[in-house]
Amino acid sequence: MSFRTSTLQALFEHLAGILDDVVLEGDGGLEIHGINGLREAGPGELSFLSNPRYGGDLAETSAGAVIVPHDALQPANGASLIRTGVPYLALASALSFLADTEALEAGVHPGAHVHPEAELAAGVTVMAGGYVGAGTVVGGGSVIYPGTVVMGRCRIGAEVLLYPGVVVREGCVLGDRVILHPNVCIGGDGFGFAQHEGRHIKIPQVGNVIIEDDVEIGACSCVDRATLGSTVIGRGSKIDDLVMIGHGGKVGAHTLIVAQSGMAGSAELEEGVVLGARAGVLGHLTVGAGSKLYSRAHVTKSLPPGSVVSGNPARPHAKQLKHEALLGKMEALMARVAELEREVAALKE
Amino acid sequence: MSFRTSTLQALFEHLAGILDDVVLEGDGGLEIHGINGLREAGPGELSFLSNPRYGGDLAETSAGAVIVPHDALQPANGASLIRTGVPYLALASALSFLADTEALEAGVHPGAHVHPEAELAAGVTVMAGGYVGAGTVVGGGSVIYPGTVVMGRCRIGAEVLLYPGVVVREGCVLGDRVILHPNVCIGGDGFGFAQHEGRHIKIPQVGNVIIEDDVEIGACSCVDRATLGSTVIGRGSKIDDLVMIGHGGKVGAHTLIVAQSGMAGSAELEEGVVLGARAGVLGHLTVGAGSKLYSRAHVTKSLPPGSVVSGNPARPHAKQLKHEALLGKMEALMARVAELEREVAALKE
Amino acid sequence: MSFRTSTLQALFEHLAGILDDVVLEGDGGLEIHGINGLREAGPGELSFLSNPRYGGDLAETSAGAVIVPHDALQPANGASLIRTGVPYLALASALSFLADTEALEAGVHPGAHVHPEAELAAGVTVMAGGYVGAGTVVGGGSVIYPGTVVMGRCRIGAEVLLYPGVVVREGCVLGDRVILHPNVCIGGDGFGFAQHEGRHIKIPQVGNVIIEDDVEIGACSCVDRATLGSTVIGRGSKIDDLVMIGHGGKVGAHTLIVAQSGMAGSAELEEGVVLGARAGVLGHLTVGAGSKLYSRAHVTKSLPPGSVVSGNPARPHAKQLKHEALLGKMEALMARVAELEREVAALKE
């Protein structure tokens, strides 16, 4: 929403320090006041083209400067261009460079509730109404927003952001640079009950949750604590809103889990798996490394590495598409069978 | 749960001031102490019939008075009747008239956390444990419940209700009479990452969320902030619990979005769209004005105005029903083909 | 995560006091320091075998002692065994016996917000940042965690656990030993609107929610208040994370509702129903006692007791499986019809 001002040259130099292949074409002295979409950006703003289907918007943009792929055409308004093979990545860096990040009031606010036996490193911020329990350790530069509760005996890494309303229950572990969005719940009890004479007897959930470095989890998502041992979210994984990770689940490194997906207890995603929206994995199954689940895929058997599946029950996506196509031919097939019946009847006479 | 007492006449006059077509049949002097279902209501209570399939309950009701359609039959107990063409709407008005709304303790509770640079209009209530950040402006008559967090630089309209546990992140805008139910999250970061060498690089989400007048959002629903610009929920739209609106989404005016539905990033619903429970719309698609998605419809292509779709992938509902019917005939078809094979074999001999 | 130490004999005697059929084989003097999975447990730890498919793990375990079914084979390491016909139930009891439960600081923390007109029984804990409204009554031994909000006029039973971030809105009733996990929302407004000239007019939701004894509800789940009367969750029912129970719903006793499931308004589950993950029931329907819904079953018609259904729309599971199998034969069927067409053409010549 709010940006600081920079010359295009200064921005270019920042990007050139991160990316090998950036090229500036145009007026380095241009003052950039913000970043906006191709349709919305004005002469003092930077925009970007990542998806080639928006090429038409590039042609007609009013942006003063645009981050574009190497082969993009010059827009009609003669905008300055920053060319790169990775425009979306360049945008990420440009946003970090230009966004005017809010200066938080560091330290522990008098309205925060930090237990005397909690241990906060230098530079930790606990805002009004934030809670840190006994025996919990929080690393330097981490921020606990208002209304966020970290119960006792947790270990929270450095540079962690726990947005408002987050709950981290007892004994959980978060790595460095973890980001939990509002109302995320880490370490709620797993759903474990022994059936006995029609009653459900609670299995105490004495495990915890371990979230490794650089994980980000979206609003209102839940990662349940293990019955025994740990539920684990591997480093670099990114989880969207309203996702449910069951007790004892193992999520490998660098996975992507899109909104409203879920994994039942003791399921495992190996490294680099992608779950589309509302995908689901039943309990005790393994999804092999690098697999991709389309939206609403419902995995009922373990999948080998590199699987690409969709549907319920999930099957190879190509097969699923064929099934759907066959359904479209059903009506014609019924007509053909009726015609055959007529012809055979005629032949028999 | 608790109602004030009114004569039926006074209630009737209140309704007559709002609705053109109400007619009172019976005893205006009857004292009404509450509102209840047709089966539960007693002689001192009002009930209602809206759905004709509950006509049998009307016949046998013990209610003292009933709001009914113009053509409803008189119940056996001789209850007084308020007739109208819009009984459900009349019920809404009767409930507003009779419900004994809780008197809140107005003003800022000493246990609230209101930043000195926040700006509260006259008549704003911030309950104990509520939080309002720097630079945020709150309009008259709005209520911030305990445990609710409004971060800095937000604009909150008048007569807004933010129930407990709501989070509104920095820079978001809420119109007048907006109602957010418990644990709703507005303005969490969108799910935006650039892929680079198997890693997911965060795209800073510097946009915001704009929620227009008279919007209501159900418990634990999430509206993510845009990467750039705004995610927008149009005026008068009503969103149920556990719904996810992705970053940059545009929801038109007067839509209805039933529980556990979701819209991926940059999707758009035009005015008056209805999403059944667990419906989903993939990213960057548009659902035309007045379209209706049945429960679990999964929209994979943009839809023209007035579409009525169901299934996964979503297709016209009539076609979906036909597909399902065809499946039911598959077994018979296989038997017919087997019979044809026998007959053809016989003919060939 | 943390356990107290016990001899195997003492643990065995505890279990024998609860379960009729436990048998100890081995060294009662063994000191048990914790409980762990068959693969993870060491010589000073207890483990368990419940699911026979992990028999291989039993054979190779390093655990000092294992809870096993009566017919389990002795592991190679000669571990002591506790035999029982209900090993999972025995595990539940062993966990309760050995888990080192956190001693909470009892009483009302000075940073809690308890309304002077609230009524707390002896032994109630309200932690810093917890909120209890006017006229609410809380039974003995109940715990209100930080950031949890119980609004006014509620009745909360004894030995209730309301984990952080829970919201219970006005006038709701919770029985004894209810457990609500973080960010659960009880009593948010139901999704009720009267349609009028393209606008959605709010029906005030003046009912409440009643949660009976021994109910447990998972993180971020929502139970909406009734328009009139009560939404009811029957005693002993267990609800997982991110579940939505619509207004006026009735959930019978001893049901199990797995994560991300939902029930629309005024739907009813009779006693002992099981909903798999992401199952759904449309409004005003009844699911008969003891019915089982597979994951993603979408119930569009009321079901008689003892139903076992899957699919969308939900149908008897056996029929659903047959449908799926028929789809797999579609391609062969099309080939057979093409062959018949060739043969009939040849016959006609």
mmCIF file with all atom_site columns, all heavy atoms in Angstrom, chain B residues 36-42 45 47-48 53-54 56-58 60-63:
data_model
loop_
_atom_site.group_PDB
_atom_site.id
_atom_site.type_symbol
_atom_site.label_atom_id
_atom_site.label_alt_id
_atom_site.label_comp_id
_atom_site.label_asym_id
_atom_site.label_entity_id
_atom_site.label_seq_id
_atom_site.pdbx_PDB_ins_code
_atom_site.Cartn_x
_atom_site.Cartn_y
_atom_site.Cartn_z
_atom_site.occupancy
_atom_site.B_iso_or_equiv
_atom_site.pdbx_formal_charge
_atom_site.auth_seq_id
_atom_site.auth_comp_id
_atom_site.auth_asym_id
_atom_site.auth_atom_id
_atom_site.pdbx_PDB_model_num
ATOM 1   N N   . ASN B 1 36 ? -40.837 -18.526 18.327 1.00 0.00 ? 36 ASN B N   1
ATOM 2   C CA  . ASN B 1 36 ? -40.346 -19.891 18.342 1.00 0.00 ? 36 ASN B CA  1
ATOM 3   C C   . ASN B 1 36 ? -40.829 -20.646 17.110 1.00 0.00 ? 36 ASN B C   1
ATOM 4   O O   . ASN B 1 36 ? -41.670 -20.151 16.355 1.00 0.00 ? 36 ASN B O   1
ATOM 5   C CB  . ASN B 1 36 ? -40.803 -20.608 19.631 1.00 0.00 ? 36 ASN B CB  1
ATOM 6   C CG  . ASN B 1 36 ? -39.691 -21.455 20.213 1.00 0.00 ? 36 ASN B CG  1
ATOM 7   O OD1 . ASN B 1 36 ? -38.865 -21.987 19.479 1.00 0.00 ? 36 ASN B OD1 1
ATOM 8   N ND2 . ASN B 1 36 ? -39.679 -21.581 21.529 1.00 0.00 ? 36 ASN B ND2 1
ATOM 9   N N   . GLY B 1 37 ? -40.291 -21.825 16.871 1.00 0.00 ? 37 GLY B N   1
ATOM 10  C CA  . GLY B 1 37 ? -40.704 -22.665 15.759 1.00 0.00 ? 37 GLY B CA  1
ATOM 11  C C   . GLY B 1 37 ? -42.135 -23.139 15.928 1.00 0.00 ? 37 GLY B C   1
ATOM 12  O O   . GLY B 1 37 ? -42.685 -23.115 17.037 1.00 0.00 ? 37 GLY B O   1
ATOM 13  N N   . LEU B 1 38 ? -42.766 -23.599 14.833 1.00 0.00 ? 38 LEU B N   1
ATOM 14  C CA  . LEU B 1 38 ? -44.175 -23.994 14.878 1.00 0.00 ? 38 LEU B CA  1
ATOM 15  C C   . LEU B 1 38 ? -44.410 -25.108 15.887 1.00 0.00 ? 38 LEU B C   1
ATOM 16  O O   . LEU B 1 38 ? -45.458 -25.154 16.535 1.00 0.00 ? 38 LEU B O   1
ATOM 17  C CB  . LEU B 1 38 ? -44.630 -24.450 13.487 1.00 0.00 ? 38 LEU B CB  1
ATOM 18  C CG  . LEU B 1 38 ? -44.869 -23.315 12.483 1.00 0.00 ? 38 LEU B CG  1
ATOM 19  C CD1 . LEU B 1 38 ? -45.002 -23.881 11.069 1.00 0.00 ? 38 LEU B CD1 1
ATOM 20  C CD2 . LEU B 1 38 ? -46.118 -22.511 12.857 1.00 0.00 ? 38 LEU B CD2 1
ATOM 21  N N   . ARG B 1 39 ? -43.455 -26.003 16.017 1.00 0.00 ? 39 ARG B N   1
ATOM 22  C CA  . ARG B 1 39 ? -43.634 -27.121 16.944 1.00 0.00 ? 39 ARG B CA  1
ATOM 23  C C   . ARG B 1 39 ? -43.366 -26.740 18.393 1.00 0.00 ? 39 ARG B C   1
ATOM 24  O O   . ARG B 1 39 ? -43.869 -27.365 19.310 1.00 0.00 ? 39 ARG B O   1
ATOM 25  C CB  . ARG B 1 39 ? -42.666 -28.264 16.594 1.00 0.00 ? 39 ARG B CB  1
ATOM 26  C CG  . ARG B 1 39 ? -42.967 -28.893 15.264 1.00 0.00 ? 39 ARG B CG  1
ATOM 27  C CD  . ARG B 1 39 ? -42.077 -30.115 15.101 1.00 0.00 ? 39 ARG B CD  1
ATOM 28  N NE  . ARG B 1 39 ? -42.170 -30.625 13.756 1.00 0.00 ? 39 ARG B NE  1
ATOM 29  C CZ  . ARG B 1 39 ? -41.705 -31.799 13.372 1.00 0.00 ? 39 ARG B CZ  1
ATOM 30  N NH1 . ARG B 1 39 ? -41.092 -32.576 14.257 1.00 0.00 ? 39 ARG B NH1 1
ATOM 31  N NH2 . ARG B 1 39 ? -41.812 -32.204 12.134 1.00 0.00 ? 39 ARG B NH2 1
ATOM 32  N N   . GLU B 1 40 ? -42.488 -25.740 18.579 1.00 0.00 ? 40 GLU B N   1
ATOM 33  C CA  . GLU B 1 40 ? -42.034 -25.412 19.929 1.00 0.00 ? 40 GLU B CA  1
ATOM 34  C C   . GLU B 1 40 ? -42.845 -24.274 20.563 1.00 0.00 ? 40 GLU B C   1
ATOM 35  O O   . GLU B 1 40 ? -42.901 -24.165 21.794 1.00 0.00 ? 40 GLU B O   1
ATOM 36  C CB  . GLU B 1 40 ? -40.558 -25.007 19.904 1.00 0.00 ? 40 GLU B CB  1
ATOM 37  C CG  . GLU B 1 40 ? -39.606 -26.135 19.484 1.00 0.00 ? 40 GLU B CG  1
ATOM 38  C CD  . GLU B 1 40 ? -39.505 -26.328 17.964 1.00 0.00 ? 40 GLU B CD  1
ATOM 39  O OE1 . GLU B 1 40 ? -39.978 -25.434 17.227 1.00 0.00 ? 40 GLU B OE1 1
ATOM 40  O OE2 . GLU B 1 40 ? -38.967 -27.363 17.534 1.00 0.00 ? 40 GLU B OE2 1
ATOM 41  N N   . ALA B 1 41 ? -43.448 -23.412 19.742 1.00 0.00 ? 41 ALA B N   1
ATOM 42  C CA  . ALA B 1 41 ? -44.068 -22.194 20.272 1.00 0.00 ? 41 ALA B CA  1
ATOM 43  C C   . ALA B 1 41 ? -45.293 -22.498 21.124 1.00 0.00 ? 41 ALA B C   1
ATOM 44  O O   . ALA B 1 41 ? -46.063 -23.416 20.827 1.00 0.00 ? 41 ALA B O   1
ATOM 45  C CB  . ALA B 1 41 ? -44.453 -21.272 19.112 1.00 0.00 ? 41 ALA B CB  1
ATOM 46  N N   . GLY B 1 42 ? -45.485 -21.724 22.174 1.00 0.00 ? 42 GLY B N   1
ATOM 47  C CA  . GLY B 1 42 ? -46.654 -21.844 23.035 1.00 0.00 ? 42 GLY B CA  1
ATOM 48  C C   . GLY B 1 42 ? -47.628 -20.692 22.804 1.00 0.00 ? 42 GLY B C   1
ATOM 49  O O   . GLY B 1 42 ? -47.406 -19.844 21.929 1.00 0.00 ? 42 GLY B O   1
ATOM 50  N N   . GLU B 1 45 ? -46.476 -17.121 22.365 1.00 0.00 ? 45 GLU B N   1
ATOM 51  C CA  . GLU B 1 45 ? -45.373 -16.915 21.427 1.00 0.00 ? 45 GLU B CA  1
ATOM 52  C C   . GLU B 1 45 ? -45.854 -16.761 19.992 1.00 0.00 ? 45 GLU B C   1
ATOM 53  O O   . GLU B 1 45 ? -46.904 -17.269 19.604 1.00 0.00 ? 45 GLU B O   1
ATOM 54  C CB  . GLU B 1 45 ? -44.377 -18.087 21.517 1.00 0.00 ? 45 GLU B CB  1
ATOM 55  C CG  . GLU B 1 45 ? -43.569 -18.080 22.819 1.00 0.00 ? 45 GLU B CG  1
ATOM 56  C CD  . GLU B 1 45 ? -42.549 -19.211 22.886 1.00 0.00 ? 45 GLU B CD  1
ATOM 57  O OE1 . GLU B 1 45 ? -42.942 -20.390 22.719 1.00 0.00 ? 45 GLU B OE1 1
ATOM 58  O OE2 . GLU B 1 45 ? -41.365 -18.917 23.102 1.00 0.00 ? 45 GLU B OE2 1
ATOM 59  N N   . SER B 1 47 ? -44.996 -17.518 15.960 1.00 0.00 ? 47 SER B N   1
ATOM 60  C CA  . SER B 1 47 ? -44.225 -18.411 15.104 1.00 0.00 ? 47 SER B CA  1
ATOM 61  C C   . SER B 1 47 ? -44.387 -17.966 13.659 1.00 0.00 ? 47 SER B C   1
ATOM 62  O O   . SER B 1 47 ? -44.918 -16.870 13.398 1.00 0.00 ? 47 SER B O   1
ATOM 63  C CB  . SER B 1 47 ? -44.647 -19.868 15.308 1.00 0.00 ? 47 SER B CB  1
ATOM 64  O OG  . SER B 1 47 ? -43.702 -20.720 14.685 1.00 0.00 ? 47 SER B OG  1
ATOM 65  N N   . PHE B 1 48 ? -43.895 -18.774 12.723 1.00 0.00 ? 48 PHE B N   1
ATOM 66  C CA  . PHE B 1 48 ? -43.979 -18.356 11.316 1.00 0.00 ? 48 PHE B CA  1
ATOM 67  C C   . PHE B 1 48 ? -43.991 -19.580 10.415 1.00 0.00 ? 48 PHE B C   1
ATOM 68  O O   . PHE B 1 48 ? -43.474 -20.641 10.751 1.00 0.00 ? 48 PHE B O   1
ATOM 69  C CB  . PHE B 1 48 ? -42.789 -17.457 10.956 1.00 0.00 ? 48 PHE B CB  1
ATOM 70  C CG  . PHE B 1 48 ? -41.496 -18.206 10.858 1.00 0.00 ? 48 PHE B CG  1
ATOM 71  C CD1 . PHE B 1 48 ? -40.929 -18.519 9.624  1.00 0.00 ? 48 PHE B CD1 1
ATOM 72  C CD2 . PHE B 1 48 ? -40.845 -18.626 12.014 1.00 0.00 ? 48 PHE B CD2 1
ATOM 73  C CE1 . PHE B 1 48 ? -39.728 -19.238 9.554  1.00 0.00 ? 48 PHE B CE1 1
ATOM 74  C CE2 . PHE B 1 48 ? -39.652 -19.339 11.943 1.00 0.00 ? 48 PHE B CE2 1
ATOM 75  C CZ  . PHE B 1 48 ? -39.099 -19.638 10.713 1.00 0.00 ? 48 PHE B CZ  1
ATOM 76  N N   . ARG B 1 53 ? -43.662 -26.669 2.927  1.00 0.00 ? 53 ARG B N   1
ATOM 77  C CA  . ARG B 1 53 ? -43.616 -28.073 3.331  1.00 0.00 ? 53 ARG B CA  1
ATOM 78  C C   . ARG B 1 53 ? -43.810 -28.260 4.836  1.00 0.00 ? 53 ARG B C   1
ATOM 79  O O   . ARG B 1 53 ? -43.951 -29.389 5.296  1.00 0.00 ? 53 ARG B O   1
ATOM 80  C CB  . ARG B 1 53 ? -42.340 -28.758 2.843  1.00 0.00 ? 53 ARG B CB  1
ATOM 81  C CG  . ARG B 1 53 ? -41.108 -28.450 3.616  1.00 0.00 ? 53 ARG B CG  1
ATOM 82  C CD  . ARG B 1 53 ? -39.961 -29.301 3.048  1.00 0.00 ? 53 ARG B CD  1
ATOM 83  N NE  . ARG B 1 53 ? -38.768 -29.168 3.847  1.00 0.00 ? 53 ARG B NE  1
ATOM 84  C CZ  . ARG B 1 53 ? -37.610 -29.712 3.523  1.00 0.00 ? 53 ARG B CZ  1
ATOM 85  N NH1 . ARG B 1 53 ? -37.484 -30.389 2.414  1.00 0.00 ? 53 ARG B NH1 1
ATOM 86  N NH2 . ARG B 1 53 ? -36.558 -29.561 4.296  1.00 0.00 ? 53 ARG B NH2 1
ATOM 87  N N   . TYR B 1 54 ? -43.809 -27.163 5.572  1.00 0.00 ? 54 TYR B N   1
ATOM 88  C CA  . TYR B 1 54 ? -44.100 -27.265 6.996  1.00 0.00 ? 54 TYR B CA  1
ATOM 89  C C   . TYR B 1 54 ? -45.570 -26.938 7.313  1.00 0.00 ? 54 TYR B C   1
ATOM 90  O O   . TYR B 1 54 ? -45.917 -26.643 8.454  1.00 0.00 ? 54 TYR B O   1
ATOM 91  C CB  . TYR B 1 54 ? -43.148 -26.384 7.811  1.00 0.00 ? 54 TYR B CB  1
ATOM 92  C CG  . TYR B 1 54 ? -41.708 -26.860 7.717  1.00 0.00 ? 54 TYR B CG  1
ATOM 93  C CD1 . TYR B 1 54 ? -40.757 -26.133 7.029  1.00 0.00 ? 54 TYR B CD1 1
ATOM 94  C CD2 . TYR B 1 54 ? -41.332 -28.072 8.295  1.00 0.00 ? 54 TYR B CD2 1
ATOM 95  C CE1 . TYR B 1 54 ? -39.443 -26.585 6.923  1.00 0.00 ? 54 TYR B CE1 1
ATOM 96  C CE2 . TYR B 1 54 ? -40.025 -28.536 8.188  1.00 0.00 ? 54 TYR B CE2 1
ATOM 97  C CZ  . TYR B 1 54 ? -39.083 -27.791 7.501  1.00 0.00 ? 54 TYR B CZ  1
ATOM 98  O OH  . TYR B 1 54 ? -37.790 -28.247 7.395  1.00 0.00 ? 54 TYR B OH  1
ATOM 99  N N   . GLY B 1 56 ? -48.050 -28.833 7.620  1.00 0.00 ? 56 GLY B N   1
ATOM 100 C CA  . GLY B 1 56 ? -48.586 -29.746 8.637  1.00 0.00 ? 56 GLY B CA  1
ATOM 101 C C   . GLY B 1 56 ? -48.279 -29.248 10.041 1.00 0.00 ? 56 GLY B C   1
ATOM 102 O O   . GLY B 1 56 ? -49.101 -29.362 10.954 1.00 0.00 ? 56 GLY B O   1
ATOM 103 N N   . ASP B 1 57 ? -47.087 -28.671 10.223 1.00 0.00 ? 57 ASP B N   1
ATOM 104 C CA  . ASP B 1 57 ? -46.735 -28.119 11.533 1.00 0.00 ? 57 ASP B CA  1
ATOM 105 C C   . ASP B 1 57 ? -47.616 -26.925 11.869 1.00 0.00 ? 57 ASP B C   1
ATOM 106 O O   . ASP B 1 57 ? -47.962 -26.712 13.033 1.00 0.00 ? 57 ASP B O   1
ATOM 107 C CB  . ASP B 1 57 ? -45.259 -27.683 11.557 1.00 0.00 ? 57 ASP B CB  1
ATOM 108 C CG  . ASP B 1 57 ? -44.316 -28.880 11.531 1.00 0.00 ? 57 ASP B CG  1
ATOM 109 O OD1 . ASP B 1 57 ? -44.774 -30.010 11.769 1.00 0.00 ? 57 ASP B OD1 1
ATOM 110 O OD2 . ASP B 1 57 ? -43.115 -28.665 11.274 1.00 0.00 ? 57 ASP B OD2 1
ATOM 111 N N   . LEU B 1 58 ? -47.975 -26.143 10.848 1.00 0.00 ? 58 LEU B N   1
ATOM 112 C CA  . LEU B 1 58 ? -48.855 -25.000 11.087 1.00 0.00 ? 58 LEU B CA  1
ATOM 113 C C   . LEU B 1 58 ? -50.203 -25.483 11.612 1.00 0.00 ? 58 LEU B C   1
ATOM 114 O O   . LEU B 1 58 ? -50.729 -24.952 12.598 1.00 0.00 ? 58 LEU B O   1
ATOM 115 C CB  . LEU B 1 58 ? -49.052 -24.196 9.790  1.00 0.00 ? 58 LEU B CB  1
ATOM 116 C CG  . LEU B 1 58 ? -50.078 -23.064 9.880  1.00 0.00 ? 58 LEU B CG  1
ATOM 117 C CD1 . LEU B 1 58 ? -49.638 -22.003 10.888 1.00 0.00 ? 58 LEU B CD1 1
ATOM 118 C CD2 . LEU B 1 58 ? -50.319 -22.424 8.515  1.00 0.00 ? 58 LEU B CD2 1
ATOM 119 N N   . GLU B 1 60 ? -51.022 -27.899 13.330 1.00 0.00 ? 60 GLU B N   1
ATOM 120 C CA  . GLU B 1 60 ? -51.019 -28.440 14.692 1.00 0.00 ? 60 GLU B CA  1
ATOM 121 C C   . GLU B 1 60 ? -50.309 -27.555 15.700 1.00 0.00 ? 60 GLU B C   1
ATOM 122 O O   . GLU B 1 60 ? -50.054 -27.974 16.830 1.00 0.00 ? 60 GLU B O   1
ATOM 123 C CB  . GLU B 1 60 ? -50.349 -29.828 14.688 1.00 0.00 ? 60 GLU B CB  1
ATOM 124 C CG  . GLU B 1 60 ? -51.071 -30.807 13.787 1.00 0.00 ? 60 GLU B CG  1
ATOM 125 C CD  . GLU B 1 60 ? -50.300 -32.109 13.636 1.00 0.00 ? 60 GLU B CD  1
ATOM 126 O OE1 . GLU B 1 60 ? -49.352 -32.337 14.428 1.00 0.00 ? 60 GLU B OE1 1
ATOM 127 O OE2 . GLU B 1 60 ? -50.640 -32.892 12.739 1.00 0.00 ? 60 GLU B OE2 1
ATOM 128 N N   . THR B 1 61 ? -49.954 -26.339 15.300 1.00 0.00 ? 61 THR B N   1
ATOM 129 C CA  . THR B 1 61 ? -49.165 -25.499 16.196 1.00 0.00 ? 61 THR B CA  1
ATOM 130 C C   . THR B 1 61 ? -49.949 -25.080 17.441 1.00 0.00 ? 61 THR B C   1
ATOM 131 O O   . THR B 1 61 ? -51.179 -25.018 17.406 1.00 0.00 ? 61 THR B O   1
ATOM 132 C CB  . THR B 1 61 ? -48.654 -24.240 15.474 1.00 0.00 ? 61 THR B CB  1
ATOM 133 O OG1 . THR B 1 61 ? -47.682 -23.606 16.314 1.00 0.00 ? 61 THR B OG1 1
ATOM 134 C CG2 . THR B 1 61 ? -49.799 -23.251 15.207 1.00 0.00 ? 61 THR B CG2 1
ATOM 135 N N   . SER B 1 62 ? -49.225 -24.816 18.529 1.00 0.00 ? 62 SER B N   1
ATOM 136 C CA  . SER B 1 62 ? -49.827 -24.231 19.723 1.00 0.00 ? 62 SER B CA  1
ATOM 137 C C   . SER B 1 62 ? -49.506 -22.748 19.850 1.00 0.00 ? 62 SER B C   1
ATOM 138 O O   . SER B 1 62 ? -49.823 -22.118 20.861 1.00 0.00 ? 62 SER B O   1
ATOM 139 C CB  . SER B 1 62 ? -49.306 -24.954 20.980 1.00 0.00 ? 62 SER B CB  1
ATOM 140 O OG  . SER B 1 62 ? -49.614 -26.320 20.912 1.00 0.00 ? 62 SER B OG  1
ATOM 141 N N   . ALA B 1 63 ? -48.858 -22.175 18.836 1.00 0.00 ? 63 ALA B N   1
ATOM 142 C CA  . ALA B 1 63 ? -48.453 -20.767 18.908 1.00 0.00 ? 63 ALA B CA  1
ATOM 143 C C   . ALA B 1 63 ? -49.670 -19.864 19.058 1.00 0.00 ? 63 ALA B C   1
ATOM 144 O O   . ALA B 1 63 ? -50.737 -20.151 18.511 1.00 0.00 ? 63 ALA B O   1
ATOM 145 C CB  . ALA B 1 63 ? -47.678 -20.390 17.646 1.00 0.00 ? 63 ALA B CB  1
#
